[in-house]
Amino acid sequence: MIMDSAQRFAEMLKNREAVIFSGAGMSTESGLQDFRSRTGLWANVDPTALASVDALRNNYEQFLSFYISRLLVPETVKPNVGHELIAKWEREGYIKGLITQNVDRLHQQAGSVNVAELHGSLEPVRCYSCGKAAQKEDFIQGKRCPCGGRLRPSVVLFGEMLPDSEIRKAELWSSDCKLFVVLGSSLVVSPANFFPRKAKQAGASLVIVNKEETPLDYMADLVVHESIGDFLSETQKHMNNP
Ligand code: APR
């Protein structure tokens, strides 16, 4: 019997001890742009000119307007079926951890609990000089911290270190899982793209679900070049069969 990809993936997921690794492709079906696909945020922009410590220091006006646009997310942006199913499968015990590069917190809104946010999160906004948390509205109005410092989102900027606590969670899960699933990432940014490789080397099966090819497709046990929402919904149909 030739299993189709969704059926095969469901059988792998049923073995539990799965770790999910998500990128911006996870949130496009919620109406957010990704970065490197044809319609992505970086399509006509050099990311280091906007999302870097250098931009924060030397190009604050453009840095500010870029992150204001990302903070002013319309109410219509909600978790999509992919986020919902990942949270459901965590509750049912199939998923032990979720490593995300995303800063939109849609996974947490959908109910995911064991989450490592490798690149931080847009909120809270805080002062770059004294670190004090500030109101999102103050940032949107271009205000400074009472100490005079510039306000910034809590995302990890190019040129900054990833949070130790998140790295430790990701390392723990990647080195001890049976199944490592990449969802919607081009896998070109390090050190985040280290984790799929680490999991594979530690003996996990590697599954990559991404509309476009990735540099790690060659080492994956299953590659699915389809929409995440469609593929995970198809997978769910096979999760109830014993
Ligand atoms: N289903 C499947 N794949 C999708 C979907 C979808 N609905 N939508 C987009 N994709 C794919 C795109 O084809 C692309 O290959 O998701 C991938 C997203 O890749 P990137 O835009 O590079 O996003 P990501 O890998 O998360 O970027 C990593 O780069 O700029 C930094 O900090 C930023 O966290 C980000 C990091």
Side-chain angles (χ1 to χ4, degrees):
M1 174 183 67
I2 300 173
M3 284 187 181
D4 72 359
S5 301
Q7 197 173 359
R8 197 169 145 220
F9 179 60
E11 293 314 309
M12 297 163 98
L13 197 55
K14 285 175 189 171
N15 284 331
R16 300 178 186 277
E17 298 292 305
V19 170
I20 306 293
F21 176 95
S22 69
M26 190 75 228
S27 301
T28 55
E29 292 172 56
S30 295
L32 293 179
Q33 282 177 277
D34 63 16
F35 296 99
R36 294 173 184 81
S37 66
R38 207 173 17 79
T39 54
L41 282 168
W42 300 152
N44 310 308
V45 167
D46 164 12
T48 57
L50 282 179
S52 64
V53 175
D54 180 58
L56 172 53
R57 287 180 178 149
N58 308 314
N59 192 12
Y60 191 65
E61 284 315 306
Q62 279 190 294
F63 174 91
L64 189 62
S65 62
F66 175 65
Y67 281 106
I68 287 173
S69 66
R70 295 189 69 199
L71 275 164
L72 288 178
V73 164
E75 286 302 308
T76 49
V77 172
K78 296 268 183 259
N80 60 57
V81 65
H83 294 107
E84 304 289 352
L85 283 171
I86 289 169
K88 170 179 159 58
W89 293 335
E90 180 187 21
R91 283 193 300 275
E92 292 170 347
Y94 298 109
I95 292 173
K96 64 190 280 186
L98 163 62
I99 304 167
T100 187
Q101 299 171 97
N102 299 341
V103 297
D104 55 35
R105 294 220 147 148
L106 289 175
H107 281 300
Q108 291 92 329
Q109 280 180 49
S112 286
V113 175
N114 294 333
V115 181
E117 289 182 314
L118 291 182
H119 296 161
S121 56
L122 283 167
E123 296 187 55
V125 168
R126 54 189 168 81
C127 173
Y128 180 55
S129 302
C130 71
K132 191 163 171 288
Q135 293 302 315
K136 177 167 101 171
E137 292 62 35
D138 290 345
F139 179 74
I140 289 167
Q141 289 161 25
K143 290 183 181 169
R144 292 284 179 118
C145 172
C147 83
R150 289 175 174 178
L151 299 180
R152 48 137 328 145
S154 289
V155 298
V156 177
L157 299 172
F158 283 106
E160 290 186 315
M161 299 289 283
L162 275 58
D164 270 347
S165 60
E166 306 313 291
I167 289 268
R168 269 200 303 278
K169 283 190 281 190
E171 283 189 336
L172 189 68
W173 292 336
S174 308
S175 55
D176 182 20
C177 65
K178 288 184 191 158
L179 176 63
F180 192 95
V181 189
V182 175
L183 298 175
S185 178
S186 60
L187 295 176
V188 297
V189 170
S190 63
N193 60 4
F194 161 79
F195 292 107
R197 204 185 290 274
K198 180 183 181 79
K200 180 70 184 169
Q201 284 158 0
S205 298
L206 176 61
V207 173
I208 298 175
V209 183
N210 201 62
K211 274 184 183 168
E212 295 167 272
E213 272 192 41
T214 80
L216 298 190
D217 282 9
Y218 77 94
M219 66 162 65
D221 298 275
L222 175 65
V223 176
V224 178
H225 289 156
E226 281 177 37
S227 131
I228 292 165
D230 293 346
F231 181 70
L232 297 191
S233 301
E234 195 55 32
T235 301
Q236 172 55 30
K237 292 176 188 167
H238 299 285
M239 289 304 285
N240 301 324
N241 311 340

